[in-house]
Amino acid sequence: MPGVSARGLSLEQRRQLAVNLTRVLARYRSIVDAYIIEFFTDNLWGTLPRSWQEALDGLNPPQLATQLLGMPGEGEVVRYRSVWPLSLLALKSTACALAFTRTPGFQTPSEFLENPSQSSRLTAPFRKHVRPKKQHEIRRLGELVKKLSDLTGCTQVVDIGSGQGHLSRFMSLGLGLLVKSIEGDQRLVQRAQRLDQELLQALEKEEKRHPQVVRASPRYSPHHVVRWVEPTALCEELLLPLDTSPQSRARLLLTGLHACGDLSVTLLRHFSCPQVVALASVGCCYMKLSDPGGYPLSQWVAGLPGHELPYRLREGACHALEEYAERLQKSGPGLRTHCYRAALETVIRGAQPELRRPGVQGIPRVHELKIEEYVRRGLRRVGLDPQLPLNVAALQAHQAQENRVVAFFSLALLLAPLVETLILLDRLLYVQEQGFYAELLPIFSPALSPRNLVLVATKRPLGEALSLLEMEDS
């Protein structure tokens, strides 16, 4: 998907982009702030301009992917069946033009061309227990951290929210970095330590099989620490070096792979500490950001009218736009889930008006159910009588609007990247307001990992060296 490159924008360009984003999001707040399960109860279709309704009504899912989201299938030519209103075309163009591009320097992850479940760029011991998505992520981020470490003279990497330690193991045992892993869940740390030992044994067996291969770098196991990192206070453990010799001067690089919610903000706050020289953070779960506290961070964005991002907007920014476009192209029956859930909401409110948007546990094989059967199962899951009398004709009338539901949801997804762009732009501006330097780089394939923009921050400008961090897969 086209967009604006986050790299190399001047401070003034970043500020102007923030102004434009807040204006656009304020103008279309009714779309991005809507809950699709309220499609019928709140008449969401009726909130759209009549000309938009006429343009979108009747479009099938592949046409929505191609014409609205701008993601045609392979070899597909974009053809409009009617003349779209300029206001809708302007929205589409604006959404594409203002969002940070998530297109990295490669089209298809070459590491999976031979085997979709095994990265050819990782040896077998590093692939074990690691899913393909995570294989791709730990290799790409690990290699970027290694380059950034070399450029900044880092002496130690601190992996925040390290989970089972897959990234830490690759950076330490694969790339020769000294790594401290900090994770709050003791069970995950124990699991990580077991996997460390398992990997060490596997590497030793590899060396015995191939004694002619000389190890290129020293081998360090990650140092694991069980510790919750508080979002509002500095963590002394995070800043303590592993090498405590008197002549040692700590130069820390902080990293986090999909640091959830406030954890990515915590990394930014620790970046101002004198021990920290660099940061490489990939955030996620924006809906878990503290409000206030997690956003906005920068004084510039905080001073803009309409900068507020309620929960629904931040939650929408975490959707996988590319994955949904692929679902639209395949036009599978699973797309009707939103329509069914919206129809269920009408029945819930009819039975108990004060019960709004209750969570409904997953109902398996939705596409195989008649809508009335889905509704009865949904009623049971929210604690209502599944034998309530149903207006089957009304439910079937709702089901007939399935493509409208999908069209409205696609409109909201078209705008969702603008929310992510504003959140990440706010973080860039925050780092600059502290007197430091920050850039955003697309690092993962968005088809594998929708949150694929890494924020790289340094105390000194990298200049031309920044291009070394933009890795391309051959």
Side-chain angles (χ1 to χ4, degrees):
M1 187 175 181
V4 59
S5 173
R7 180 187 165 183
L9 294 179
S10 67
L11 175 60
E12 186 54 39
Q13 287 172 322
R14 287 176 174 175
R15 286 177 170 175
Q16 186 57 51
L17 179 57
V19 170
N20 294 339
L21 286 166
T22 53
R23 287 175 177 171
V24 171
L25 288 171
R27 182 178 181 86
Y28 298 106
R29 180 63 58 91
S30 62
I31 296 175
V32 289
D33 203 16
Y35 286 83
I36 197 65
I37 64 175
E38 295 178 329
F39 184 84
F40 300 117
T41 59
D42 289 18
N43 187 26
L44 296 184
W45 188 252
T47 64
L48 298 178
R50 173 83 57 174
S51 59
W52 291 25
Q53 296 178 28
E54 294 172 354
L56 298 174
D57 204 8
L59 291 183
N60 61 36
Q63 289 170 330
L64 287 169
T66 300
Q67 298 176 28
L68 183 60
L69 299 184
M71 296 185 179
E74 186 174 352
E76 184 180 2
V77 178
V78 180
R79 291 189 177 90
Y80 293 87
R81 64 171 191 173
S82 63
V83 178
W84 279 22
L86 289 178
S87 57
L88 182 55
L89 291 172
L91 169 63
K92 175 183 172 181
S93 297
T94 301
C96 293
L98 294 185
F100 283 147
T101 180
R102 298 194 296 161
T103 304
F106 56 90
Q107 295 301 317
T108 302
S110 59
E111 57 194 311
F112 296 108
L113 292 181
E114 295 179 4
N115 187 328
S117 64
Q118 294 184 359
S119 168
S120 61
R121 304 288 290 275
L122 287 176
T123 58
F126 288 100
R127 295 195 302 256
K128 192 172 182 181
H129 305 299
V130 185
R131 294 180 178 178
K133 173 180 180 289
K134 185 69 75 174
Q135 293 176 29
H136 176 64
E137 292 171 347
I138 65 173
R139 180 185 68 82
R140 297 278 299 175
L141 183 57
E143 290 176 355
L144 182 142
V145 167
K146 171 61 176 171
K147 291 180 180 180
L148 186 60
S149 173
D150 293 342
L151 288 170
T152 58
C154 156
T155 60
Q156 175 182 310
V157 175
V158 185
D159 183 9
I160 314 296
S162 53
Q164 297 184 54
H166 298 308
L167 174 62
S168 293
R169 264 187 301 284
F170 177 64
M171 292 190 297
S172 58
L173 296 172
L175 300 176
L177 294 168
L178 190 63
V179 179
K180 177 188 286 187
S181 304
I182 298 182
E183 168 57 49
D185 190 329
Q186 185 170 3
R187 294 170 300 175
L188 292 179
V189 171
Q190 292 171 342
R191 166 75 170 162
Q193 291 170 330
R194 290 196 297 270
L195 293 177
D196 289 350
Q197 293 304 311
E198 186 178 314
L199 178 58
L200 280 169
Q201 294 171 3
L203 293 175
E204 289 173 0
K205 290 180 181 178
E206 285 284 322
E207 288 183 353
K208 290 179 181 179
R209 291 195 200 100
H210 307 284
Q212 73 278 10
V213 177
V214 180
R215 191 188 307 168
S217 59
R219 180 174 291 161
Y220 305 103
S221 292
H223 178 78
H224 295 280
V225 176
V226 181
R227 177 69 181 267
W228 289 107
V229 179
E230 298 296 332
T232 57
L234 293 180
C235 175
E236 292 184 5
E237 177 59 49
L238 188 154
L239 300 171
L240 289 176
L242 293 173
D243 184 356
T244 57
S245 58
Q247 66 274 20
S248 173
R249 181 172 176 269
R251 294 177 60 83
L252 307 179
L253 189 160
L254 308 183
T255 191
L257 176 52
H258 294 146
C260 182
D262 285 339
L263 199 53
S264 54
V265 175
T266 301
L267 267 69
L268 291 173
R269 293 200 170 110
H270 280 77
F271 181 64
S272 61
C273 299
Q275 302 95 317
V276 181
V277 296
L279 178 148
S281 171
V282 182
C284 74
C285 300
Y286 304 126
M287 65 284 196
K288 295 183 180 179
L289 290 169
S290 296
D291 187 13
Y295 168 89
L297 297 175
S298 69
Q299 296 177 12
W300 178 260
V301 172
L304 295 177
H307 73 269
E308 299 84 359
L309 297 178
Y311 176 90
R312 176 66 190 94
L313 274 70
R314 289 182 278 118
E315 188 272 336
C318 293
H319 283 283
L321 183 60
E322 291 81 5
E323 187 271 340
Y324 191 72
E326 184 178 351
R327 289 176 60 194
L328 291 175
Q329 287 290 355
K330 294 179 179 178
S331 193
L335 291 171
R336 70 175 49 131
T337 301
H338 285 312
C339 181
Y340 274 27
R341 177 62 185 87
L344 170 62
E345 189 72 8
T346 65
V347 179
I348 291 173
R349 296 195 188 180
Q352 194 168 325
E354 68 276 11
L355 185 59
R356 301 171 62 86
R357 302 197 296 264
V360 178
Q361 295 178 357
I363 297 176
R365 309 184 75 83
V366 171
H367 59 281
E368 296 181 357
L369 301 177
K370 291 183 177 180
I371 191 168
E372 56 267 31
E373 176 59 26
Y374 171 88
V375 167
R376 294 197 185 282
R377 294 190 186 187
L379 289 171
R380 183 180 295 112
R381 278 166 167 74
V382 299
L384 295 177
D385 182 4
Q387 299 306 317
L388 284 173
L390 300 178
N391 186 335
V392 176
L395 291 177
Q396 291 174 345
H398 290 329
Q399 185 175 358
Q401 298 186 62
E402 179 182 316
N403 281 356
R404 288 184 175 181
V405 177
V406 173
F408 192 95
F409 188 72
S410 298
L411 262 180
L413 277 191
L414 178 67
L415 291 162
L418 300 186
V419 179
E420 179 177 36
T421 297
L422 182 56
I423 292 172
L424 296 178
L425 184 60
D426 171 59
R427 295 176 181 182
L428 290 176
L429 290 168
Y430 170 78
V431 173
Q432 283 192 274
E433 289 173 357
Q434 311 307 305
F436 306 130
Y437 305 87
E439 295 285 354
L440 274 173
L441 304 173
I443 183 174
F444 309 135
S445 165
L448 283 175
S449 187
R451 308 280 70 76
N452 77 331
L453 289 164
V454 58
L455 190 153
V456 176
T458 56
K459 297 291 177 67
R460 296 179 179 179
L462 288 173
E464 293 300 319
L466 183 64
S467 61
L468 296 175
L469 301 178
E470 292 192 299
M471 304 176 296
E472 295 189 7
D473 278 12
S474 59

